[in-house]
Amino acid sequence: MAETTIHILDRDFRLSIPEEVIQQKIKALVTRINDDYAGLNPVMVSILNGAFMFTADLVRYLEFQPEIIFARFSSYDGMDTTGEVRELMGVTADLRGRDVIIVEDIVDTGLTMYNVLPKFKHLGAKSVKIACMLQKPEKLRVDLKVDYCAHEIPNDFIVGYGLDYNGFGRNYRDIYTAVETQ
Ligand code: 5GP
C-alpha cells in the first residue's frame, strides 16, 4: 500500500496517481503504439533522467522490436523551467531513414520537446513521434503535437515514477503532487 503523503527535502507531496492507474494507462497507450508500429523497427529514444521508469514499463509491452537508446537534455532547475534546453548526452545511433519515437516523462510547457524535435529531424529521421507518460495541457506554451500521451494532469508539480524534486523522489512507483505551502 502506497504512503499517502511523503516528505522530500523541504516539501510535502500527496499521493495523486497510484501505481495501478499508471500501469493501466500505459497498457492502453501501448495498444496504440503496437498498432502503429506493427512489423517495424523504430528507434526509441528515452529521455533521461525522468523517462527511465516509464521507458522500462512501456517497452516490456511492445509487440515489435525497437532499437532502444538514451539521450539527455536539461531545462529544469528545481521546480522552475529555465526555458533553455541544453544537450547533456547526445544521440548515439544512426537515425538516417529511421522511424523515431521519443519517450519523454512529462510534457509541461512543451519547450523541451519543441527544441529537441528539430535535432532528430536534422539527424535524418524518416519520422519522429513523441510518446509521453504525462502532459499538463494547460501549461503548453508552444505548437507541439504529442502523438502518444498516457495521462493528462493539472498544472501541479509532481514527483515519483522517475520524476524528481532536486534529484530525489524518482524511485517511487506512485506519483505524488506537491502540497502548496501557505
Ligand atoms: P517542458 O520543457 O515541457 O516545460 O518540461 C519538460 C521537462 O521538465 C520534463 O521532461 C521534466 O523533466 C520536467 N518537468 C516538467 N514538469 C515537471 C513536474 O511536474 N515534475 C518534475 N519532477 N519534473 C517536471
Side-chain angles (χ1 to χ4, degrees):
M1 199 40 200
E3 293 167 76
T4 50
T5 58
I6 55 170
H7 185 80
I8 301 174
L9 301 173
D10 58 347
R11 295 201 65 120
D12 292 320
F13 296 83
R14 63 173 167 76
L15 180 65
S16 51
I17 315 176
E19 180 186 12
E20 302 72 40
V21 175
I22 296 172
Q23 295 302 325
Q24 214 175 55
K25 302 275 179 188
I26 292 173
K27 282 184 194 162
L29 186 77
V30 163
T31 308
R32 290 176 48 211
I33 300 179
N34 276 335
D35 284 350
D36 292 353
Y37 289 88
L40 300 176
N41 301 101
V43 183
M44 294 189 104
V45 187
S46 171
I47 308 297
L48 296 172
N49 294 328
F52 78 94
M53 213 178 266
F54 173 47
T55 305
D57 282 341
L58 181 76
V59 299
R60 274 182 266 203
Y61 298 119
L62 295 177
E63 289 166 1
F64 54 89
Q65 227 173 62
E67 184 176 346
I68 301 169
I69 61 169
F70 297 85
R72 192 170 172 208
F73 303 89
S74 172
S75 67
Y76 259 66
D77 181 15
M79 288 174 65
D80 301 307
T81 181
T82 60
E84 177 204 340
V85 173
R86 287 181 297 138
E87 186 174 298
L88 303 177
M89 184 182 126
V91 170
T92 47
D94 183 359
L95 300 186
R96 283 174 297 177
R98 305 288 303 276
D99 294 308
V100 172
I101 306 172
I102 304 176
V103 183
E104 172 70 315
D105 52 1
I106 182 166
V107 173
D108 183 5
T109 62
L111 279 166
T112 308
M113 283 301 103
Y114 186 79
N115 288 296
V116 157
L117 265 178
K119 293 180 193 285
F120 288 91
K121 290 188 177 146
H122 284 138
L123 290 171
K126 183 167 83 180
S127 70
V128 186
K129 287 193 179 179
I130 299 172
C132 71
M133 172 63 209
L134 302 161
Q135 184 175 6
K136 299 178 191 169
E138 284 168 32
K139 280 193 76 183
L140 195 65
R141 280 183 14 204
V142 286
D143 182 17
L144 181 78
K145 181 173 176 251
V146 176
D147 303 279
Y148 306 102
C149 174
H151 191 44
E152 294 187 346
I153 60 166
N155 282 352
D156 312 308
F157 184 82
I158 55 157
V159 295
Y161 197 69
L163 289 151
D164 73 312
Y165 174 47
N166 286 335
F168 291 90
R170 293 192 198 277
N171 55 301
Y172 289 96
R173 51 180 77 195
D174 308 278
I175 289 173
Y176 292 82
T177 299
V179 175
E180 285 310 316
T181 43
Q182 304 295 312

